[in-house]
Amino acid sequence: MQGSALWGWLGPLLVTIFGGVLRFVRLDQPRAVVFDETYYIKDAYSLITHGVERVTLGDAKNPIADRRLLDGDTDIWKHCPEAADCASFVAHPPLGKWMIGAGEWLFGMTPFGWRFAAAVVGTLSILILARVARRMTRSTLLGCLAGFLLALDGLHLVLSRTALLDIFLMFWVLAAFACLVVDRDRARERLVDWYESSPLSPCGPRLGLRPWRIAAGVCLGAACAVKWSGVFFLIAFAVLSVVWDLGARRAVGLRRPYQGVLSLDAPGAVAALGLAPVVTFVATWAGWFVTADGYGRGWEQATSSGPVFFVLDSARSWLKYQTEVLGYHTGLDDYHPYMSEPWTWPALLRPVSFHYPAGLPSSVCGADKCSQAVLGVGTPALWYAAGLALLGLVAWYVATRDWRAGAVLLVAAAGWLPWFYYAVADNRTMYLFYMIPVVPFMVLALVLVAGLAIGRRNAPPGRRALGAATVGALALVVLINFGWLYPVLVAETLTQAEWWARMLMRSWVVPAPK
C-alpha cells in the first residue's frame, strides 16, 4: 500500500468533507416537494408515526398533504371509519423510507428534515468509494481521486439532496461491494498463513468465520429492502464471492480448488449471501408485522385462531403482498414525459426535471424571464469518460483477467443490463436515475484506467508525469463541467438565458413525444 495509514484516512475524509459541503449547503432549497418526494416523504412520516404506510389527503392532481406540510401542518391523514381502511398499498419495501423518516424525526417535516438522510448517505458513499478504490489500487492518490469524482457527479449530487429511494439503494450496494473486497483480502491472508504454516492438502483449509462477507450479505438485504432491484446485485455479488474464493484456492496451487470451494466455502457463502439478506429483508418489515393497520395485514383473522395460525397467516399475507408489489412493477408502463430507455442512459439523452416552477417574478433574477431548476443529470465529462473507461476495462480483462476489471464490469452490468429486458419485454416506465447504483462503479472504472495511465511506481518518470498530467487535466475538466451545471442541479435562480446555456441537448428540455 502506497502512502501512510494516516493519509489513507485523512485524504478520503477531506474529499468527503468537500462532497458533504456540496450536499448539505442549501439542502432545504428548493422549499417545495419535488418530483417523487411526494410519495416517499409521506410514507416515511407515516412509518415513524404509525409503523406502516397510510393514505394521506389529496392526490397527484390535488396535493393537499404536500401543501399542508410546506405550511407546517402535519395533519395530512385521510380519515377512515376503520384504521385498516386507510392502509396504503406501496410499491417499494420500507427501509429507504425508514431512513428518510429518521431525518424527519430528527429535524421535523421540513425539506431539510426529509432530505437529511439522503445527504448523509450520499456523503458517506464518497468516503466508502475512496477507501475501497484505495484498497483495490493500493494508492491513496487514486482512492482520493475516486471520491473526488463521485462528489462531482451531478446525478449523485441531485439524489443526495432529494428524498428519493435510489440514493439509499446505491449506498447499500456500494457498502456491500466494499465489504466483499475486504473479505477477499482477509480470505487470501488466511490462505497464505495456512500455506506457510500447515501441512498441505488437496482442497485447502476452512477459512472460518468471515464477518465481512456476512456484513456484505446484510448490506445486500438492505439494498433489496430499499428497492427490489437490489436483487440483481445480490446475484452478481454471490457469483463474485464464489469466483474470488475459487481464484484464491487456485492461486496457492491447490490440486482440488473446485472441490474446496464447494465443500468448504459454499456453505458459508450460502449463509452469508443467502440467509443473511433474507433475514435482513424480512426484519425491515417489522412495522408491518407488529401492527394491525398495514395493507393486506388481516390482523383480526390472524389473531382469531391462536399463535401458530397467527404466524402462518401473517407469513401468507406478507407473501401475497410481495406478489402484488412485483406484479405492480411488471405492469408499470404509464407514459411520463421524462421516461427514457436504458440504452440511452450512458449518453445522458433524457435527464429528469425534478423541479422547474412556472411564473417566477422577474425581480428575482433581474431579467424578463427567470428560471429555477433541479435537473437530475450526470456530469457529462465524467459519464462520457467513464463510458470509454468501461470499454477499456473490457479489453483489459480479456487480456489480463485482472480481478478488479472483472468485478467492476460485472457490477456495472448487474445494475444496467437487466433494465434492457424490462424495456423490451414489458415496455416498463424507466428513468435515468435508475443508473445511480452504477455510478460509483463507473467512477471506479475511470480510476482503474487512470492508474494504468500513470503507471507503476517503477515506471519511467517521464511516462508517470505525462500520465499524471493527463489524469489531472481530466479531473479539472470534470470539475469545470460540474461547476457550470451546478446552478441547475441545486435550484439556484438564473435568468432564462443562463439556464438555456446549461442545457447540453434539446432533449434535456423538451418533453419527448408520446
Side-chain angles (χ1 to χ4, degrees), residues 61 96 153 164 194 201 231 253 288 341-342 352 368 416 438 488 496:
K61 295 182 179 179
D153 179 59
L164 269 64
W194 168 84
S201 64
V231 73
W288 185 90
E341 306 294 352
V352 178
D368 291 340
W416 182 38
V438 181
V488 298
Q496 194 169 76

Side-chain angles (χ1 to χ4, degrees), residues 12-259:
L13 283 171
L14 290 174
V15 172
T16 302
I17 292 170
F18 167 73
V21 170
L22 293 174
R23 281 147 183 78
F24 277 96
V25 170
R26 298 180 66 251
L27 182 60
D28 60 343
Q29 299 299 316
R31 185 171 175 76
V33 177
V34 305
F35 197 57
D36 280 355
E37 281 188 339
T38 187
Y39 303 112
Y40 305 127
I41 64 173
K42 291 176 286 191
D43 283 348
Y45 185 56
S46 183
L47 283 172
I48 64 172
T49 305
H50 303 288
V52 291
E53 296 90 343
R54 294 187 60 189
V55 177
T56 57
L57 296 171
D59 53 32
K61 295 182 179 179
N62 185 23
I64 300 172
D66 292 355
R67 291 195 296 269
R68 287 192 177 185
L69 289 175
L70 292 172
D71 290 338
D73 183 0
T74 57
D75 182 16
I76 60 172
W77 311 114
K78 183 178 179 181
H79 299 289
C80 303
E82 298 290 339
D85 296 336
C86 279
S88 177
F89 173 82
V90 292
H92 298 293
L95 180 58
K97 290 167 282 187
W98 277 112
M99 296 174 76
I100 294 171
E104 296 172 346
W105 178 73
L106 287 170
F107 299 103
M109 281 301 290
T110 65
F112 182 88
W114 62 64
R115 295 170 189 157
F116 175 78
V120 168
V121 301
T123 302
L124 287 177
S125 66
I126 296 171
L127 177 61
I128 294 173
L129 183 65
R131 289 288 298 177
V132 75
R134 177 180 182 268
R135 178 174 286 273
M136 293 174 71
T137 62
R138 300 297 191 257
S139 167
T140 298
L141 175 64
L142 291 176
C144 291
L145 175 64
F148 180 69
L149 292 177
L150 185 62
L152 296 179
D153 179 59
L155 185 62
H156 189 277
L157 177 76
V158 169
L159 291 174
S160 298
R161 296 172 56 90
T162 312
L164 269 64
L165 299 181
D166 301 81
I167 195 72
F168 302 103
L169 172 62
M170 179 279 306
F171 173 80
W172 290 115
V173 168
L174 179 59
F177 181 77
C179 290
L180 274 189
V181 172
V182 177
D183 173 72
R184 179 186 183 276
D185 285 352
R186 296 288 184 266
R188 289 182 171 237
E189 289 169 3
R190 292 182 187 180
L191 273 176
V192 170
D193 291 342
W194 168 84
Y195 184 82
E196 293 177 345
S197 61
S198 304
L200 299 183
S201 64
C203 297
R206 293 186 182 276
L207 297 180
L209 183 67
R210 296 169 64 171
W212 284 104
R213 187 162 64 175
I214 296 172
V218 172
C219 290
L220 289 166
C224 295
V226 173
K227 275 193 164 184
W228 271 99
S229 52
V231 73
F232 304 141
F233 298 97
L234 174 59
I235 295 169
F237 286 7
V239 171
L240 199 59
S241 182
V242 172
V243 170
W244 283 350
D245 284 348
L246 176 61
R249 291 182 181 273
R250 293 177 63 183
V252 297
L254 298 178
R255 286 181 296 172
R256 298 178 182 174
Y258 294 94
Q259 183 178 339

Side-chain angles (χ1 to χ4, degrees), residues 318-359:
W318 182 77
L319 290 172
K320 182 175 183 295
Y321 191 180
Q322 306 310 305
T323 302
E324 291 183 27
V325 169
L326 291 175
Y328 168 84
H329 284 293
T330 56
L332 187 61
D333 58 1
D334 294 339
Y335 170 79
H336 191 281
Y338 286 99
M339 63 189 289
S340 57
E341 306 294 352
W343 44 85
T344 69
W345 294 344
L348 298 174
L349 297 183
R350 171 66 69 185
V352 178
S353 178
F354 280 46
H355 176 73
Y356 192 92

